[in-house]
Amino acid sequence: MTRNGPLAITFNGLFVAFMLAPLVVVIWMSFTPENLLVLPTTSLSLRWFYAILDNQQFINALGMSIMLGLIAATGAILLAVPAALALSRYRFPGRDGLVAFFLSPLIIPHVVLGVAFLRFFTQVGVSGSFIALIGSHILIIFPYGLRLVLASLTTADPAIERAAVSLGATNWTMFRRILLPMIIPGVAGGWMISFIQSFDEVTMTVFVATPSSMTLPVRMYHYIEESIDPLVASVSTVVIFGTFLLMFIVDRVYGLDRTLVGPGK
């Protein structure tokens, strides 16, 4: 086993500090007793966390984001699993082009997608509806679920599936009792990443959401246009710790290494 030298350790430490510094500053500012976004220097306070409970708009937006994320992530995974099965188990003309098409939302700017969705949903008469939000979010988070399910399928031995079918199992039985348990970490990881991406999405959602269907990131975006108090920092802190809690639960249940990377061979 090779050891990292002082230069590598220093570089890694600086990189981690660079990544964590913004989160630390936001969390620290959320405990300020002042009326402005400043770092607390004399005392800490939960004032702005209690203020969240008094702001019904943020509470409604949080509920909207959670419900939208749950539905969109579930819908994306339900589409990603059969798509990944077809792409990994079959070879057909246009397969590579289809893969590129499925992954294209990763490279198209979300501003462009937002304008396109706004135009399309206005034409079909569902602009600003919850259905429009679900459809647009499923499209942009679908590639994340697809990539993780595909990664899990590459580690699943097709010979096991053929053996089950040769012993009399139907395709559905083989999938439910053999293939799905093997790829469930990837499915769980894809669902988790899809949920987080849906929950955090703001650029595209600004074009699709309305005051009656506003998600939490969009509400925070509009709030900081009008106010500079630390309420938005306290909401951000709640979201940060909620994300850490979700990742901790997944790590305890499946393991983040198996969920996000896949089982080692």
Side-chain angles (χ1 to χ4, degrees):
M1 178 184 295
T2 60
R3 294 180 178 272
N4 289 327
L7 182 61
I9 294 175
T10 302
F11 174 80
N12 292 332
L14 291 175
F15 180 79
V16 172
F18 176 78
M19 295 292 292
L20 294 181
L23 301 182
V24 173
V25 171
V26 169
I27 294 173
W28 192 3
M29 284 194 299
S30 67
F31 289 97
T32 182
E34 306 297 333
N35 293 323
L36 300 175
L37 278 168
V38 294
L39 296 175
T41 56
T42 57
S43 63
L44 301 178
S45 173
L46 296 176
R47 168 189 177 186
W48 295 106
F49 290 95
Y50 291 122
I52 298 175
L53 302 177
D54 297 329
N55 193 308
Q56 193 61 41
Q57 290 182 331
F58 275 114
I59 294 177
N60 293 339
L62 175 61
M64 174 66 71
S65 289
I66 293 176
M67 181 168 60
L68 176 61
L70 292 174
I71 296 175
T74 302
I77 287 299
L78 289 177
L79 295 174
V81 171
L85 284 172
L87 294 173
S88 65
R89 293 296 186 260
Y90 300 97
R91 296 293 182 268
F92 50 87
R95 175 184 174 277
D96 293 339
L98 193 59
V99 173
F101 174 75
F102 284 155
L103 299 181
S104 62
L106 294 175
I107 61 175
I108 299 177
H110 284 196
V111 172
V112 176
L113 288 175
V115 173
F117 282 136
L118 177 62
R119 177 66 176 173
F120 172 75
F121 292 137
T122 300
Q123 290 292 320
V124 299
V126 296
S127 178
S129 66
F130 189 60
I131 296 297
L133 275 175
I134 293 175
S136 58
H137 274 236
I138 287 178
L139 189 145
I140 63 172
I141 66 177
F142 172 76
Y144 297 96
L146 179 65
R147 292 179 68 180
L148 287 178
V149 176
L150 276 173
S152 291
L153 283 170
T154 58
T155 63
D157 189 356
I160 301 177
E161 304 165 36
R162 292 192 293 268
V165 173
S166 67
L167 292 174
T170 63
N171 289 331
W172 170 245
T173 300
M174 181 274 298
F175 171 77
R176 179 173 55 90
R177 302 188 62 177
I178 296 182
L179 184 57
L180 185 58
M182 290 193 295
I183 66 172
I184 195 63
V187 173
W191 187 94
M192 182 187 71
I193 296 299
S194 298
F195 175 82
I196 293 175
Q197 289 294 327
S198 174
F199 190 94
D200 291 341
E201 168 58 36
V202 59
T203 306
M204 179 275 299
T205 311
V206 167
F207 292 90
V208 182
T210 62
S212 61
S213 59
M214 193 170 293
T215 62
L216 183 60
V218 176
R219 173 63 64 188
M220 295 170 65
Y221 173 78
H222 289 303
Y223 187 84
I224 61 178
E225 291 180 327
E226 306 168 356
S227 177
I228 56 173
D229 62 48
L231 179 59
V232 70
S234 63
V235 175
S236 300
T237 299
V238 172
V239 173
I240 290 170
F241 281 104
T243 303
F244 284 158
L245 178 61
L246 177 61
M247 296 181 68
F248 175 78
I249 293 174
V250 173
D251 182 53
R252 300 301 297 178
V253 175
Y254 294 111
L256 283 177
D257 52 345
R258 296 180 66 239
T259 301
L260 301 180
V261 180
K265 293 192 176 182

